[in-house]
Amino acid sequence: MKKIIMLILCSIAFPALAQTVTINPTITPALFRHNDQITVTYDVTATTLANLTTAYIWVWIPDKSINAKYNINPATAAADAAKFVKNVSGGTTTFSITFKPSDFFATSISAETKLGVLIKGTDWANGQSTDYIVDIWDGSFQVKLTSPLKQPLFVTNGEAINITGETPLAADYTLYVNNVLTNTQLDVSNYTYQHTVTETSGAATIKLVVSNGASSDDVSFDYLISANSANAPRPTNIISGINYNSSDPTKATLCLLAPDKSNVYVRGDFSDWKILPSNLMKKDGEYFWIEVSELTSGTEYAFQYLIDETSYVADPYADKILDGDNDQYIPAATYPSLKAYPDKARSDKWYFNKVSVLQTNQTPYQWQVVNFEKPAKENLVIYELLVRDFFGDGQRNYQNLIDTISYLKRIGISAIELMPVMEFAGNDSWGYNPVFMFAPDKYYGTKNKFKEFVDVCHQNGIAVILDIAMNHQDMPNPYLMMDFNYTTLKPNPTNKWFNVEAKHPYSVFFDMNHESLYTKAYLDTINYHWLNEYKVDGFRYDLSKGFTQTNNPNNVGAWGNYDASRIAILKRMADKVWQHTPEAYIILEHFAANTEEKELSEYRMAEGKGMMLWGNHNHAYIQNSMGFASESDFSGIFYGNRGWSKPHLVGYMESHDEERLMVKNLQFGNSAGSYNVKTLATALKRIEAASTIFYTIPGPKMLWQFGELGYDISIDENGRTGTKPVKWAYLTDANRKKLLNHTTDLIRLKNSYSIFNLGAATFSGMSTLTKQVALKNTPYTETPTSANAMNAEVVVNFDVTQKSIAVNFPHTGTWYDYYGFGLPLEVTTLPFSITLAPGEYKLYTDFLIDNPIVTAAERGVSKKINLYPNPVNDVLTIELENEIIVDLQLRTLEGRTIRPERISNGHWNVSTLPQGLYIAEIKSRENTYRVKVIKK
């Protein structure tokens, strides 16, 4: 996530842009008929709607199709009657409009009982509020409390509370405080009374009763006396989060770290979502705690904290979060029996609408694999995927991922890297906008289903790596919210976890202070949680170059320079991880100075550790694949060319962050004569070529989902981070299936032979389109007696014309053409010249190894072709079953092409050919077949 554009695009999920804000209006008069003039006012202070210069009211009749005249999007002059008036005064921003509801509809609404309203920008993309449904007064007798509206209401002894109410007709009002009659006002329609608080602690209930002859109504509210939490030490072993009582499932102790705070209340299902004096938490230094009792074993309870009477937050350590705005869109098949968001917890501030869940006496997941042996770092082939874009709508869940593991296993990958799955803002997201770091996002399924996914991966020998965003967090992360300026929408300078401003470029959301002891402890616990609770095998740390307090907000070059403080931060965190999970993978998206990356890659190397780092060579491989030599040098994908002593560079041609090679091929591919990279079959063949000189280079590798099938959907389709089309139908395309088989075999080679993991690589032709890599095994020998000691040579012609290539084989002698039926090539001098067609690739080894694809193809050909005599002297006869031969070419081991004289149908004169081995390329109208021919 290092691109400049990510600063904008990642923010699509950020509430500051195009956010649906949970906020309710004030409507006066409180009781109105359909044709009464009303004023609707939205207080948008500290919301993204405050940034709007122009806003419009949108009205409707719930559950009915009645045309609203001014519901126009995007708004034009025709919608001016629905335009709000904006007012900014004393730090408060409001939008107000006065109108008659009946005037906004083309048909009569005189019989309607409800009205829907919301505020929106000129276009939906500019942001909007959530729906607000208000009753249209039906003329019956009732009372509306118009002040106070804030709940809970905190007051102090001696404070005056202004109480106002409204009835449609004059009535008698009686006010009770804790059931004691306190005030009476007769024959009034607007009630006003000022109550002076006499209590010094606890809470009180005020009830307002109105009567008009035979009709009566009442309304009530509570107030609490402000109080600080009492000091009391935490019970033994109580830590941050939800502490379950192993011996009593009716109890749980909640603990919240909240530095510099005076009081914290807890509310939830167990208190009917009321703030009660009995739920004021005790204080132990910077921690607040409370034991909740009388719980029903196995029952889920939602709850929240109220900090210093101002901010509602869910528990930062909870492993399940309910989202008042987004849970309704999660399919039941993905998350069965999902607990409904409690209506009583809903706030008009969107950022308060997250609640945590506790559940005593849970049935633990039964792991099938408890001691998974992780694949070695240098052997890793990582499959990066985003669950959202791997399956279609309604199927984006862990169960479908579990059902697909057999496909991924057949490819031969050794690890799956999931883009972030921690609870993120919204549902439709890349996941780099995390909010709650201990809770798997419910959009993909339950926590136990995620555990099952990890377990099944391990049963199949596949490691699981989590992409995790710890450079930053999104609203409403609890540690962000407990010390936050809602006017500037930035952390306060006193925030213990977050910087007011990011210390580096390309930052998104809210930048974490990685030198803070609070941040360190928080991140250490996150790492421990996922490695131990979910048994994942390691992490890819997003934007790890941002783990610094070296203030460099605008200078990209300086940000990438060697940073000793950043190195110390990462080493400290790695040490903590390796204390409890010694074999955990630590992968960094770093892209810093090579001296820094080398130091990190070799940290604690003597103990078999060391961090891995992303190696992005997308641009160079794209240039080669398209057929352009400029900027096509990918030699840095080999760790040895960076001076590193261990293969800890995770090289890739594509990632979630990069454009797809196939997109570039099809849009901008080069051409010459009839050879055109923009042709689908040719474009896919170019990916085969690129893959051949990618997977064979020693060191861990990564491929992006569907890359094995030639994914050709642009990263910018539907916006960079937007949902992309799912392309499982590629499997029905023969050319794409061929690329899949080719990729699978390359990964098999990497998994089978040490030369492709630990060999030394020498690159040639990096400034041209005729690329080659010579691989020497360690220890090196020119006469290997086994595949474990063999050497290799990879040659690719990325040009769009045939090329003669001087190949720098590691040594002279016999080499075997892996893609040419294993035919021997006698290399007599160095360099040795071979000829390759445009887009053609070769892999040579100095020890004969089997190519199962070629062998299978040859077996298939033998069933269709009758070729004799073989060996042949003068006349070669070829009979092709049910097909007509249109052309025959013989290819020499040096790559030269010979077209023999055709004597008659099915007979060719080969008498003048030199003796030796040839590959016969037999073309019909439908197919091309290749088979070995020996000339005597």
Side-chain angles (χ1 to χ4, degrees):
M1 229 177 43
K2 73 287 179 187
K3 302 288 189 184
I4 295 176
I5 197 167
M6 289 305 295
L7 186 63
I8 299 171
L9 293 170
C10 268
S11 299
I12 291 173
F14 178 38
L17 297 177
Q19 173 68 39
T20 299
V21 178
T22 302
I23 185 172
N24 296 334
T26 298
I27 300 178
T28 55
L31 297 169
F32 63 88
R33 295 180 175 87
H34 71 283
N35 56 355
D36 289 338
Q37 185 166 277
I38 64 174
T39 298
V40 178
T41 300
Y42 278 93
D43 183 346
V44 297
T45 307
T47 76
T48 56
L49 299 178
N51 299 323
L52 297 176
T53 55
T54 305
Y56 296 81
I57 193 168
W58 197 271
V59 301
W60 68 96
I61 302 300
D63 303 320
K64 291 190 177 180
S65 299
I66 298 178
N67 182 37
K69 296 189 292 185
Y70 307 118
N71 287 3
I72 300 170
N73 191 77
T76 63
D80 281 353
K83 186 184 295 185
F84 280 96
V85 174
K86 184 176 184 178
N87 181 63
V88 180
S89 177
T92 300
T93 302
T94 61
F95 282 98
S96 296
I97 185 172
T98 300
F99 67 102
K100 292 181 180 179
S102 57
D103 291 345
F104 274 48
F105 292 90
T107 55
S108 173
I109 60 169
S110 59
E112 303 305 327
T113 60
K114 293 183 181 297
L115 177 70
V117 300
L118 62 79
I119 181 175
K120 62 179 285 292
T122 304
D123 193 295
W124 292 116
N126 302 130
Q128 67 175 87
S129 69
T130 48
D131 297 351
Y132 181 75
I133 309 300
V134 62
D135 292 332
I136 298 175
W137 180 44
D138 61 4
S140 66
F141 183 79
Q142 56 184 277
V143 61
K144 283 258 186 175
L145 183 72
T146 54
S147 177
L149 294 178
K150 182 180 180 181
Q151 280 290 296
L153 180 64
F154 287 94
V155 295
T156 58
N157 177 259
E159 183 177 338
I161 303 174
N162 292 318
I163 304 170
T164 61
E166 181 180 325
T167 48
L169 303 171
D172 297 337
Y173 286 75
T174 51
L175 182 79
Y176 297 85
V177 179
N178 288 336
N179 295 320
V180 176
L181 179 62
T182 304
N183 178 257
T184 300
Q185 296 183 22
L186 305 178
D187 199 29
V188 295
S189 57
N190 289 283
Y191 175 85
T192 301
Y193 175 73
Q194 190 173 79
H195 170 69
T196 300
V197 176
T198 59
E199 295 85 0
T200 57
S201 63
T205 299
I206 289 184
K207 185 176 183 179
L208 187 62
V209 180
V210 296
S211 176
N212 179 15
S215 300
S216 63
D217 197 15
D218 64 77
V219 65
S220 60
F221 67 91
D222 298 326
Y223 65 80
L224 293 90
I225 307 302
S226 292
N228 290 337
S229 291
N231 292 318
R234 285 174 288 167
T236 304
N237 297 324
I238 295 300
I239 61 175
S240 291
I242 305 166
N243 297 262
Y244 294 108
N245 190 319
S246 59
S247 61
D248 188 348
T250 68
K251 296 178 180 179
T253 300
L254 307 177
C255 181
L256 178 70
L257 174 62
D260 305 326
K261 303 305 175 185
S262 299
N263 59 63
V264 178
Y265 289 85
V266 66
R267 68 169 186 166
D269 293 333
F270 41 74
S271 70
D272 196 30
W273 289 95
K274 294 179 180 179
I275 297 294
L276 304 174
S278 59
N279 285 342
L280 177 62
M281 301 175 75
K282 299 176 179 64
K283 185 177 182 181
D284 179 9
E286 295 182 327
Y287 292 89
F288 294 80
W289 66 276
I290 190 171
E291 184 181 72
V292 181
S293 57
E294 298 182 3
L295 302 172
T296 300
S297 176
T299 298
E300 289 189 319
Y301 292 86
F303 69 97
Q304 269 183 331
Y305 302 112
L306 175 61
I307 302 175
D308 275 1
E309 305 173 0
T310 57
S311 296
Y312 288 99
V313 300
D315 193 302
Y317 288 89
D319 62 8
K320 183 172 181 177
I321 300 294
L322 301 183
D323 183 335
D325 296 324
N326 296 290
D327 283 358
Q328 59 187 312
Y329 304 112
I330 298 175
T334 292
Y335 203 111
S337 304
L338 175 59
K339 179 178 172 63
Y341 188 87
D343 286 337
K344 293 179 179 179
R346 196 172 297 277
S347 168
D348 61 357
K349 304 291 192 296
W350 68 267
Y351 37 78
F352 291 158
N353 283 326
K354 302 269 192 179
V355 300
S356 34
V357 175
L358 69 85
Q359 181 186 20
T360 65
N361 202 25
Q362 298 180 45
T363 302
Y365 177 80
Q366 298 299 312
W367 291 94
Q368 302 303 302
V369 179
V370 293
N371 292 305
F372 176 63
E373 185 175 343
K374 298 174 177 60
K377 295 185 182 76
E378 63 270 12
N379 295 347
L380 283 179
V381 178
I382 302 169
Y383 195 93
E384 186 191 17
L385 69 84
L386 171 61
V387 179
R388 184 198 69 184
D389 290 348
F390 210 46
F391 304 106
D393 190 28
Q395 299 177 317
R396 301 177 174 119
N397 56 53
Y398 297 124
Q399 183 58 59
N400 282 313
L401 196 52
I402 291 168
D403 295 339
T404 312
I405 287 176
S406 59
Y407 166 80
L408 298 174
K409 183 180 181 180
R410 284 197 301 271
I411 295 174
I413 58 103
S414 50
I416 295 173
E417 181 179 303
L418 292 180
M419 287 174 67
V421 299
M422 301 81 192
E423 180 76 24
F424 44 77
N427 288 336
D428 185 349
S429 172
W430 268 11
Y432 294 107
N433 51 336
V435 181
F436 292 88
M437 297 299 291
F438 294 83
D441 197 288
K442 303 183 303 301
Y443 188 56
Y444 299 141
T446 67
K447 65 181 182 182
N448 278 354
K449 188 57 70 172
F450 178 75
K451 290 179 179 180
E452 182 183 347
F453 160 70
V454 175
D455 207 6
V456 174
C457 282
H458 288 173
Q459 292 170 44
N460 286 273
I462 297 172
V464 177
I465 299 169
L466 289 188
D467 195 337
I468 189 168
M470 300 206 302
N471 168 79
H472 55 267
Q473 305 275 277
D474 194 6
M475 290 178 73
N477 175 277
Y479 290 138
L480 175 70
M481 302 291 288
M482 68 173 59
D483 202 358
F484 191 75
N485 187 318
Y486 291 99
T487 300
T488 63
L489 292 179
K490 294 180 180 180
N492 287 320
T494 52
N495 192 294
K496 298 291 194 295
W497 292 268
F498 292 88
N499 296 312
V500 177
E501 302 286 351
K503 299 296 184 180
H504 57 85
Y506 303 161
S507 182
V508 292
F509 309 109
F510 300 96
D511 186 50
M512 298 203 78
N513 177 356
H514 284 267
E515 288 188 354
S516 163
L517 295 177
Y518 295 86
T519 300
K520 292 175 181 179
Y522 176 53
L523 301 187
D524 289 345
T525 311
I526 293 169
N527 288 329
Y528 179 87
H529 176 73
W530 289 96
L531 288 167
N532 289 271
E533 179 67 21
Y534 293 96
K535 298 190 185 302
V536 302
D537 301 291
F539 303 104
R540 176 263 188 191
Y541 292 110
D542 179 69
L543 203 60
S544 60
K545 192 163 60 177
F547 291 19
T548 180
Q549 284 298 102
T550 301
N551 193 23
N552 235 324
N554 302 309
N555 190 328
V556 176
W559 178 41
N561 290 340
Y562 183 93
D563 184 342
S565 66
R566 177 169 56 212
I567 294 171
I569 287 169
L570 288 165
K571 286 182 177 179
R572 186 214 64 82
M573 189 172 71
D575 286 339
K576 282 289 186 179
V577 167
W578 290 329
Q579 280 180 12
H580 52 76
T581 315
E583 302 302 320
Y585 304 125
I586 293 179
I587 304 174
L588 308 179
E589 186 205 26
H590 215 57
F591 306 120
N594 186 58
T595 51
E596 180 169 332
E597 294 202 349
K598 173 179 167 63
E599 183 173 340
L600 293 168
S601 76
E602 296 175 351
Y603 180 57
R604 296 179 62 180
M605 188 176 61
E607 306 165 53
K609 303 192 185 307
M611 304 180 212
M612 292 184 285
L613 296 100
W614 261 24
N616 179 11
H617 287 80
N618 172 258
H619 181 73
Y621 275 98
I622 279 178
Q623 289 295 98
N624 283 287
S625 188
M626 290 190 299
F628 299 106
S630 175
E631 300 178 317
S632 65
D633 183 353
F634 52 73
S635 58
I637 200 169
F638 177 55
Y639 70 97
N641 287 341
R642 301 180 178 213
W644 299 11
S645 58
K646 286 291 184 180
H648 289 171
L649 183 70
V650 182
Y652 59 90
M653 298 189 291
E654 296 176 341
S655 76
H656 70 272
D657 243 351
E658 314 299 339
E659 187 56 281
R660 317 301 167 210
L661 271 66
M662 275 295 291
V663 171
K664 290 288 191 176
N665 282 357
L666 295 173
Q667 291 183 356
F668 306 108
N670 201 357
S671 64
S674 61
Y675 186 88
N676 189 345
V677 177
K678 294 179 183 178
T679 304
L680 178 62
T682 304
L684 288 166
K685 190 70 176 178
R686 305 282 294 195
I687 305 300
E688 286 185 30
S691 299
T692 304
I693 205 165
F694 168 71
Y695 292 103
T696 53
I697 296 173
K701 297 291 179 284
M702 185 183 77
L703 70 154
W704 171 243
Q705 63 185 35
F706 297 124
E708 73 281 4
L709 292 165
Y711 194 65
D712 56 13
I713 302 299
S714 174
I715 193 174
D716 294 319
E717 181 163 325
N718 190 32
R720 186 179 183 87
T721 63
T723 304
K724 301 296 188 290
V726 179
K727 290 294 186 178
W728 286 107
Y730 281 165
L731 287 168
T732 63
D733 184 293
N735 287 318
R736 295 186 187 275
K737 190 72 177 291
K738 187 172 182 294
L739 173 59
L740 169 64
N741 292 336
H742 182 72
T743 303
T744 298
D745 188 59
L746 284 167
I747 295 173
R748 181 192 67 82
L749 287 173
K750 182 170 180 58
N751 290 337
S752 302
Y753 303 109
S754 62
I755 183 65
F756 304 117
N757 294 317
L758 300 172
T762 301
F763 291 70
S764 302
M766 288 297 113
S767 62
T768 73
L769 285 172
T770 53
K771 301 289 198 297
Q772 54 180 296
V773 178
L775 301 172
K776 290 184 177 181
N777 219 322
T778 303
Y780 173 66
T781 175
E782 295 184 2
T783 56
T785 57
S786 71
N788 289 332
M790 73 181 179
N791 306 294
E793 178 75 29
V794 186
V795 189
V796 179
N797 178 18
F798 283 113
D799 214 325
V800 292
T801 59
Q802 179 175 289
K803 290 293 180 180
S804 178
I805 305 172
V807 181
N808 297 306
F809 284 90
H811 59 80
T812 57
T814 303
W815 291 81
Y816 300 93
D817 186 350
Y818 182 74
Y819 294 111
F821 300 90
L823 293 177
L825 174 67
E826 294 301 327
V827 176
T828 55
T829 59
L830 292 177
F832 188 82
S833 180
I834 66 171
T835 301
L836 295 184
E840 189 175 5
Y841 51 85
K842 288 289 185 182
L843 168 61
Y844 297 98
T845 60
D846 57 2
F847 185 87
L848 182 61
I849 57 175
D850 183 48
N851 182 336
I853 296 177
V854 171
T855 302
E858 193 171 13
R859 282 197 297 267
V861 167
S862 68
K863 296 177 182 178
K864 294 179 178 238
I865 296 176
N866 187 18
L867 184 150
Y868 60 92
N870 193 9
V872 63
N873 190 10
D874 296 319
V875 178
L876 180 65
T877 300
I878 305 176
E879 298 170 350
L880 191 59
E881 180 183 344
N882 298 324
E883 294 183 57
I884 298 174
I885 300 173
V886 297
D887 188 34
L888 170 67
Q889 296 182 34
L890 298 178
R891 186 180 294 276
T892 70
L893 299 184
E894 293 78 20
R896 292 186 296 109
T897 300
I898 300 169
R899 183 172 279 107
E901 177 191 1
R902 190 166 192 164
I903 300 171
S904 62
N905 187 33
H907 303 285
W908 282 264
N909 180 11
V910 295
S911 61
T912 60
L913 265 61
Q915 67 179 23
L917 289 170
Y918 295 85
I919 302 298
E921 292 185 352
I922 306 161
K923 293 185 179 181
S924 70
R925 290 187 177 91
E926 295 83 13
N927 299 295
T928 298
Y929 303 97
R930 294 177 177 86
V931 64
K932 285 182 285 190
V933 176
I934 300 174
K935 173 64 169 62
K936 291 193 293 187

